[in-house]
Amino acid sequence: MSSTFEALAEIISETSDIPMGDITPEKNAFTDLGIDSLDFLDIAFAVDKHFGIKIPIETWTEEMNDGNASVDDYFLLSRLSERIDELVAVKNS
Amino acid sequence: MHLEYFQMIDTISTINRETGKIDAIANVPDKSTIFEGHFPTHPLLPGVLLIETMAQASGYLLLDRLEFELMPFLVAVSEAKLRTFVEPGTVLNIEAEIIHDGSGFAVSKAEVTSAGKRICNARLTFRIMPFPKDELRQEMLKRYKEIYPSGDQS
């Protein structure tokens, strides 16, 4: 597992009180782990702070609402981890 | 403070847009129907209203920052500590600071003091959303101008 995923899993575990063992890359934050949109704000806050990025929640939500992306595209934890890496890469470029 | 109207902030002293900080003042009234129940013969400002006071100070700071284009709604209160009882007639100083500007949300850290003594503090999370109606935007702007006449929102 990548260090990004490990950091993400720790954040999810701490903010949402979910055992680390339950947080695996193939899980969807919302549909598998039961995180709701309010819980996700805490996660986004912690992720933004940890990685020095700004998760574009509004853009992602708009894309999902418009049918241009699925929940898995952004919130499957392996994909979320990849998105975070992309945002970090953009920040560092 | 007009407790019955949920107008907690009397005066905004300063808003610093560069640092994302606000200083405000709230005068706890000597009399209010709220004190008749909280508590009979022993009036104290309810802790939830102290939380609301910190939320409103943070809210005006965000509204100013957002130029009244979007509305912050309180959605989470974290690490709240109510440290000291507040009696009628107390003058409260409120400081709030935006500690995170997220996508569609913001997080503030707020503290209330009185005569240099810490009253309460909390971390507050707001969802930033479109105003549900323009009348609300107008009302918020009107109140902002009343309590912050030196502010420059038009």
Side-chain angles (χ1 to χ4, degrees):
Chain A
M1 279 186 282
S2 71
S3 59
T4 301
F5 179 83
E6 285 171 7
L8 174 63
E10 276 180 29
I11 287 169
I12 291 172
S13 178
E14 282 176 21
T15 57
S16 304
D17 201 20
I18 296 172
M20 279 292 282
D22 293 350
I23 304 168
T24 52
E26 72 279 7
K27 296 273 178 71
N28 182 298
F30 291 118
T31 55
D32 293 322
L33 296 180
I35 291 166
D36 65 19
S37 61
L38 183 55
D39 292 330
F40 194 77
L41 290 189
D42 278 340
I43 294 169
F45 173 49
V47 167
D48 287 0
K49 285 278 186 196
H50 184 87
F51 292 99
I53 57 173
K54 186 167 171 173
I55 294 182
I57 301 172
E58 287 176 301
T59 306
W60 291 0
T61 305
E62 203 175 305
E63 289 178 8
M64 288 186 290
N65 289 342
D66 291 345
N68 296 324
S70 70
V71 179
D72 274 357
D73 286 337
Y74 295 121
F75 297 107
L76 199 69
L77 296 185
S78 57
R79 301 246 176 99
L80 180 55
S81 182
E82 288 167 11
R83 303 283 181 187
I84 290 168
D85 282 337
E86 289 166 10
L87 291 164
V88 171
V90 169
K91 182 193 78 170
N92 294 333
S93 65
Chain B
M1 280 179 159
H2 299 277
L3 298 180
E4 291 77 6
Y5 292 90
F6 252 58
Q7 292 178 346
M8 314 310 286
I9 306 296
D10 291 312
T11 308
I12 295 173
S13 308
T14 58
I15 289 180
N16 187 323
R17 290 179 185 159
E18 285 183 15
T19 58
K21 292 183 180 178
I22 185 172
D23 288 292
I25 296 168
N27 301 294
V28 182
D30 292 323
K31 291 189 184 302
S32 164
T33 53
I34 285 171
F35 296 137
E36 292 172 19
H38 195 279
F39 295 98
T41 75
H42 188 65
L44 294 174
L45 186 69
V48 290
L49 296 184
L50 285 167
I51 301 286
E52 177 65 21
T53 302
M54 293 189 282
Q56 289 192 14
S58 302
Y60 282 116
L61 173 59
L62 286 163
L63 281 166
D64 180 88
R65 191 186 188 91
L66 296 162
E67 298 181 337
F68 286 80
E69 293 296 323
L70 295 164
M71 174 77 183
F73 289 96
L74 179 67
V75 294
V77 178
S78 312
E79 300 162 19
K81 289 190 172 69
L82 306 172
R83 300 170 183 278
T84 309
F85 292 141
V86 176
E87 297 178 349
T90 305
V91 178
L92 302 175
N93 300 94
I94 307 105
E95 291 181 18
E97 175 182 3
I98 304 302
I99 58 170
H100 188 63
D101 219 349
S103 168
F105 74 102
V107 183
S108 76
K109 188 175 70 175
E111 180 176 87
V112 176
T113 59
S114 183
K117 188 174 181 181
R118 277 216 291 182
I119 301 289
C120 60
N121 59 282
R123 194 181 84 201
L124 308 167
T125 304
F126 298 82
R127 271 194 204 280
I128 308 296
M129 303 170 72
F131 277 95
K133 52 172 75 171
D134 190 58
E135 289 86 343
L136 174 59
R137 192 184 79 81
Q138 296 297 339
E139 288 293 327
M140 296 307 297
L141 189 54
K142 182 180 160 198
R143 180 66 184 153
Y144 165 90
K145 286 177 177 174
E146 286 170 359
I147 62 177
Y148 191 34
S150 61
D152 63 1
Q153 297 289 347
S154 56

